[in-house]
Amino acid sequence: MQRLYRKRIVLGVGGGIAAYKSAELVRRLRDQGAEVRVVMTHGGREFITPLTLQALSGHPVHLDLLDPAAEAAMGHIELARWADLVLIAPATADLMARLTQGVADDLLTTLVLATDAPVALAPAMNQAMWRDPATQANAEALAKRGLHLFGPAAGSQACGDVGLGRMLEADQLAQAAADLFQHKALTGRHVLITAGPTQENIDPVRYITNHSSGKMGFALAEAAVEAGAKVTLITGPVHLPTPDRVNRIDVVSARDMLAACEAAMPCDLLIAAAAVADYRPEVVAAHKMKKDPTSGEGLLLQLVRNPDILATLAGRADRPFSVGFAAETENLLEYASRKLKDKNLDLIVANDVANPSIGFNSEENAITIIDRALHQNSFAQTSKGKIARQLIAFIAERLNQA
């Protein structure tokens, strides 16, 4: 099983002899399905060449904070947003000390300060350096700050000493990285997620739909599985692979989606991320509608309302904890708050689809969550995968308090 499938990992390589293990680590991470980008310190380049890690990762290695080409697009900020995990291996005593002090004098340390992704360190140093009180204090301070420490291990070292200080092996680090994504806050819960657009037929050739790609809903399904849930994903027509361990049900129209949702009930948590068509043609032509060449008139379609899937499910006697999405182009929070109340929801997720960087078909998102008391929690723009994990963690906390 590829537990790191589609995870975005920035691998930081510090200046220690254990940097030779970083090459194998890149391979292990990619074997697990991760996409890896490498950032090297000046010291790291003395032990292993950037070309080696470029060949193994499949991407150019990032080296300098003040790279004019990268900084034109704020390269370190882009990497910080891109990452689902920053893993520094090896993490030297010097690098740990600089991170403890919040130093940002190279690309790697600046990236750590700029990211909201989890940061993990694989300490690697002489046994005396590891047990020095200063290093131990730094390790404790970093752990209290929320950074994860993988190791070190005990054993023989390059200098001939034996003791704690060896960097963990590549397969151990890959396993530890995978374990970070396995938060079991939804263990035993059945989560029903809707995703993608619906299509409402006009005739056998044409239909009404919208621009939804389904990427956010699929990312939520993947994140819910990581959180231990049993996930049913009901999706309109999209071109996306099914996340591992997800029960996927494909539908076409809004009425199809409602029927599939009702058949999947009961559930503990409903996340309605689909962009469901509000209207459908009253009459669907049996054959392709032909244009009248003698008439300059347009085509008039009579539309009728589709069933409101979210309101229907949230109004059931056995209603689940219900979370909706409000994709708006104006008055975002006002419209989202109204939808929260009108549909009897526990939470609503508002996102501005007028912004092309976070709208339909984009790879990133930025959201605001509104609860019944109209309290707001905002998540800054980042990848949809990372937003999904943040959102699932937030929802799980509220669900478990309910």
Side-chain angles (χ1 to χ4, degrees):
M1 183 186 302
Q2 292 184 320
R3 295 178 61 192
L4 293 174
Y5 178 60
R6 291 193 299 182
K7 301 299 186 297
R8 298 170 167 182
I9 299 178
V10 170
L11 176 62
V13 179
I17 184 60
Y20 78 90
K21 295 182 181 180
S22 301
E24 184 65 18
L25 177 56
V26 173
R27 293 188 62 183
R28 290 288 179 260
L29 294 171
R30 295 195 70 191
D31 286 346
Q32 291 271 358
E35 184 176 356
V36 182
R37 303 288 177 90
V38 178
V39 174
M40 301 185 76
T41 66
H42 286 282
R45 287 174 246 175
E46 298 297 322
F47 291 92
I48 186 171
T49 67
L51 184 60
T52 297
L53 295 174
Q54 176 176 318
L56 292 170
S57 68
H59 297 283
V61 173
H62 302 270
L63 302 172
D64 297 310
L65 176 61
L66 300 179
D67 181 340
E71 283 304 296
M74 297 296 287
H76 65 286
I77 299 298
E78 292 302 313
L79 273 174
R81 288 177 177 169
W82 179 86
D84 293 321
L85 170 66
V86 178
L87 171 58
I88 301 177
T92 63
D94 172 73
L95 187 49
M96 290 177 63
R98 290 191 290 133
L99 291 173
T100 302
Q101 295 301 317
V103 172
D105 59 356
D106 63 8
L107 178 57
L108 183 55
T109 53
T110 303
L111 171 66
V112 171
L113 289 182
T115 192
D116 60 3
V119 178
L121 309 177
M125 65 199 72
N126 170 267
Q127 55 86 23
M129 295 176 69
W130 171 251
R131 60 183 171 82
D132 185 90
T135 304
Q136 289 298 300
N138 290 337
E140 183 178 353
L142 292 169
K144 284 183 178 178
R145 206 178 295 167
L147 280 72
H148 304 273
L149 268 66
F150 297 163
S156 60
Q157 301 180 325
C159 61
D161 286 356
V162 176
L164 279 173
R166 280 177 61 94
M167 189 169 90
L168 296 182
E169 300 303 318
D171 56 348
Q172 294 174 302
L173 291 174
Q175 180 67 50
D179 289 343
L180 285 182
F181 293 99
Q182 305 301 310
H183 304 296
K184 300 303 184 183
L186 291 177
T187 296
R189 301 284 196 174
H190 178 203
V191 178
L192 175 60
I193 298 174
T194 66
T198 62
Q199 293 178 355
E200 308 299 333
N201 285 340
I202 297 171
D203 61 24
V205 176
R206 305 175 183 91
Y207 53 80
I208 298 171
T209 191
N210 57 65
H211 295 292
S212 175
S213 66
K215 292 176 181 177
M216 193 69 237
F218 275 62
L220 286 164
E222 188 173 344
V225 165
E226 290 174 2
K230 170 189 172 184
V231 177
T232 301
L233 174 64
I234 299 176
T235 178
V238 297
H239 302 285
L240 296 171
T242 305
D244 190 28
R245 294 170 289 164
V246 167
N247 177 30
R248 173 176 174 171
I249 300 171
D250 289 285
V251 298
V252 176
S253 71
R255 287 178 291 178
D256 294 339
M257 184 170 283
L258 176 58
C261 287
E262 290 180 324
M265 297 289 281
C267 66
D268 301 292
L269 170 61
L270 167 68
I271 304 178
V276 180
D278 292 323
Y279 298 92
R280 69 180 186 276
E282 184 175 29
V283 177
V284 178
H287 302 285
K288 179 182 176 182
M289 300 172 66
K290 307 300 289 184
K291 179 173 64 178
D292 184 352
T294 64
S295 172
E297 298 296 323
L299 174 67
L300 181 63
L301 289 176
Q302 182 66 39
L303 301 180
V304 295
R305 288 287 297 269
N306 266 325
D308 190 321
I309 297 174
L310 185 50
T312 300
L313 299 179
R316 290 170 57 112
D318 61 348
R319 73 180 296 278
F321 190 92
S322 301
V323 180
F325 270 67
E328 304 290 350
T329 59
E330 61 178 352
N331 302 324
L332 177 64
L333 300 181
E334 176 189 345
Y335 289 163
S337 299
R338 186 184 306 169
K339 184 174 180 179
L340 171 79
K341 180 179 179 181
D342 290 347
K343 296 182 186 293
N344 188 33
L345 305 180
D346 297 285
L347 298 170
I348 195 159
V349 181
N351 67 301
D352 180 7
V353 294
N355 182 344
S357 68
I358 58 173
F360 291 126
N361 290 298
S362 66
E363 297 299 326
E364 297 190 340
N365 208 347
I367 61 172
T368 297
I369 306 172
I370 306 173
D371 64 16
R372 285 180 178 268
L374 301 184
H375 296 144
Q376 299 176 11
N377 290 269
S378 296
F379 296 154
Q381 182 172 339
T382 188
S383 70
K384 285 184 174 176
K386 192 188 300 184
I387 285 283
R389 284 188 288 278
Q390 293 171 339
L391 183 54
I392 287 294
F394 183 94
I395 294 171
E397 183 178 358
R398 292 299 184 94
L399 173 62
N400 292 329
Q401 291 173 351

